[in-house]
Amino acid sequence: MNEPRRTIASYTTYQEAERAVDHLSDRGFPVERLAIVGQDVRLVEQVTGRMGLGGAALHGAASGALPGALIGWIFGLLNWLDPVVSGLLLALYGLIFGALVGALLGLLVHAAQRGRRDFASVSFMQPSRYDVVADDAVADEAVRLLAELPGGTSTGTSSGGAWKGSNRPRSGPAVT
């Protein structure tokens, strides 16, 4: 696993990198010697809307309902006389109790912030490019097979062709 690796292709989207690895797999290439590496990763926080008292309570209720139902169901299964009925009944009670406690906690946390974060958001990591890297021993074979990638690779000239669009693989330094 400590074999040196090098970049055999770079793509702007994950789907293009995935397509390249799938192409290599279809050609019988040992894909266990490849990796897709996201480069220049940045954190993106997408704001999804305002967060008022109602939204905080709803979000808290949703966060508390599932754990409450799960805990209630597990305790219900411990009843030896009728585990199915008591499991479902305690799961329902747990869902209601978990939603109420979650809503109260959501309201308390929102009120404690005093308007500093009155919005809801979703965070995710976003690379600027995706490099397909291969073990040094098989990298040349991978580059040769990627040259056959249909739909935007080589033009068929005798010099190896020109790469079209963003599907153009780029050689890079060794990655370890």
Side-chain angles (χ1 to χ4, degrees), residues 151-164:
T153 56
S154 117
T155 60
T157 62
S158 60
S159 64
W163 295 94
K164 297 177 187 172

Side-chain angles (χ1 to χ4, degrees), residues 27-108:
R27 300 300 180 274
F29 186 83
V31 292
E32 62 275 1
R33 300 186 76 180
L34 297 172
I36 299 174
V37 181
Q39 297 290 342
D40 302 326
V41 179
R42 63 185 175 159
L43 175 68
V44 177
E45 183 175 10
Q46 179 64 48
V47 177
T48 58
R50 293 188 186 278
M51 178 69 76
L53 288 176
L58 187 61
H59 181 63
S63 296
L66 184 61
L70 182 62
I71 291 169
W73 177 69
I74 289 171
F75 278 121
L77 289 180
L78 297 176
N79 183 347
W80 291 8
L81 297 176
D82 197 359
V84 174
V85 172
S86 34
L88 292 175
L89 188 62
L90 285 176
L92 178 65
Y93 290 157
L95 181 121
I96 293 167
F97 182 75
L100 289 173
V101 170
L104 288 174
L105 286 175
L107 284 171
L108 286 173

